Amino acid sequence: MAFSAGIINIVGLIGFGRETVSHLTGNTSLLAEEIAKGSVSGALHYLVVILSFFVGAVVSGMIIRDSELLLGRRYSVVLVLIATLLVSAVPLLNAQAQAGMYAAAAACGLQNAMVTTYSGATIRTAHLTGMFTDLGIFIGHRLRGLPVDVRRIRISLTVITGFLCGGIAGTLLYSAVQNRAMYVPAGISLAAAAAYWRIRVRAPKSGA
C-alpha cells in the first residue's frame, strides 16, 4: 500500500504542477497561503483536495466500521473503490481537469484510513511524517540504551522504503506512460482485493 501511495503522489507532483494529493499538512499550508493572498479560486482548489481526502477517509470508516483486523471486514470493497477512483482519475488528469486530483486524493484518503483502521492507528501509508518520527524516537531510545519495539522499527522502515520505491517507480512510469501510471496502483489495489476475498472465502467460518 505504501508503494502504491508513492506512485499516486509522484504522479500528482509531476503531472499537476508539483501538487501533492496525499499530504494534508502541505495542502493546508497552501490553503492558508491562498486565503492570505485573497485568491478564492486557489483556496477553493486546495480546500476541495483536502475535503476529497477527508471524504475518502469517512467512506472507509463507514464501510469497515471497526478497528480490528478481521476477515469479516469489507476491506475488498474499499480496495475496489480505491482502484475505481484511480482509474477514473486518468482521463481527468489527461484533460488537465482538477477533478483528477480530487479523485486521487479521495483514493489516498480511503487507503490511509483503511490501513489506519486495521493497524490500530500505528501505520500510515499515504505520508511518512509519523513513520520518520517513530523511527527517530526508537533510534534515540536505542542510543540511550532503552528498550525499543523492533517490530515497529521494521514497520517504519518497510513503509518508508515502500513509499520511496513507489515514488521511484512512479517517476519512471510517468516518463513512459504519463498519467496512465495510475493504472499500476489501481491494479495493485484490485489484486489485493482479490487476494483478500480469496482468503476470506477459504477461511473457516466463525462468529466474527
Side-chain angles (χ1 to χ4, degrees), residues 45-124:
H45 167 64
Y46 289 111
L47 179 61
V48 176
V49 172
I50 292 168
L51 288 176
S52 297
F53 187 101
F54 179 74
V55 169
V58 170
V59 171
S60 179
M62 291 174 61
I63 293 172
I64 296 176
R65 297 181 299 175
D66 210 320
S67 59
E68 296 182 36
L69 177 57
L70 295 172
L71 287 179
R73 307 301 173 208
R74 293 182 287 178
Y75 301 112
S76 57
V77 176
V78 175
L79 289 164
V80 170
L81 283 176
I82 291 169
T84 301
L85 285 167
L86 293 176
V87 169
S88 68
V90 173
L92 294 170
L93 290 171
N94 286 339
Q96 290 294 299
Q98 291 181 337
M101 282 196 68
Y102 307 151
C108 287
L110 277 161
Q111 176 180 300
N112 209 47
M114 181 190 71
V115 175
T116 298
T117 299
Y118 72 64
S119 70
T122 62
I123 302 175
R124 301 288 196 275

Side-chain angles (χ1 to χ4, degrees), residues 29-206:
S29 294
L30 291 170
L31 171 61
E33 179 187 15
E34 296 300 318
I35 292 173
K37 293 192 302 186
S39 173
V40 175
S41 61
L44 182 61
H45 167 64
Y46 289 111
L47 179 61
V48 176
V49 172
I50 292 168
L51 288 176
S52 297
F53 187 101
F54 179 74
V55 169
V58 170
V59 171
S60 179
M62 291 174 61
I63 293 172
I64 296 176
R65 297 181 299 175
D66 210 320
S67 59
E68 296 182 36
L69 177 57
L70 295 172
L71 287 179
R73 307 301 173 208
R74 293 182 287 178
Y75 301 112
S76 57
V77 176
V78 175
L79 289 164
V80 170
L81 283 176
I82 291 169
T84 301
L85 285 167
L86 293 176
V87 169
S88 68
V90 173
L92 294 170
L93 290 171
N94 286 339
Q96 290 294 299
Q98 291 181 337
M101 282 196 68
Y102 307 151
C108 287
L110 277 161
Q111 176 180 300
N112 209 47
M114 181 190 71
V115 175
T116 298
T117 299
Y118 72 64
S119 70
T122 62
I123 302 175
R124 301 288 196 275
T125 58
H127 53 86
L128 300 181
T129 304
M131 295 293 99
F132 274 111
T133 301
D134 287 348
L135 188 60
I137 292 170
F138 298 144
I139 291 175
H141 286 175
R142 174 70 76 181
L143 291 173
R144 289 297 304 272
L146 300 173
V148 297
D149 187 341
V150 176
R151 176 177 172 273
R152 289 290 301 280
I153 292 177
R154 289 174 179 167
I155 288 173
S156 296
L157 288 173
T158 299
V159 171
I160 291 168
T161 302
F163 193 93
L164 175 63
C165 290
I168 294 170
T171 301
L172 296 173
L173 284 167
Y174 189 86
S175 67
V177 296
Q178 284 72 53
N179 294 312
R180 285 176 292 174
M182 286 289 195
Y183 291 144
V184 174
I188 292 172
S189 292
L190 286 176
Y196 171 76
W197 180 83
R198 186 173 182 180
I199 291 170
R200 182 179 175 182
V201 168
R202 290 188 172 185
K205 299 298 182 181
S206 67

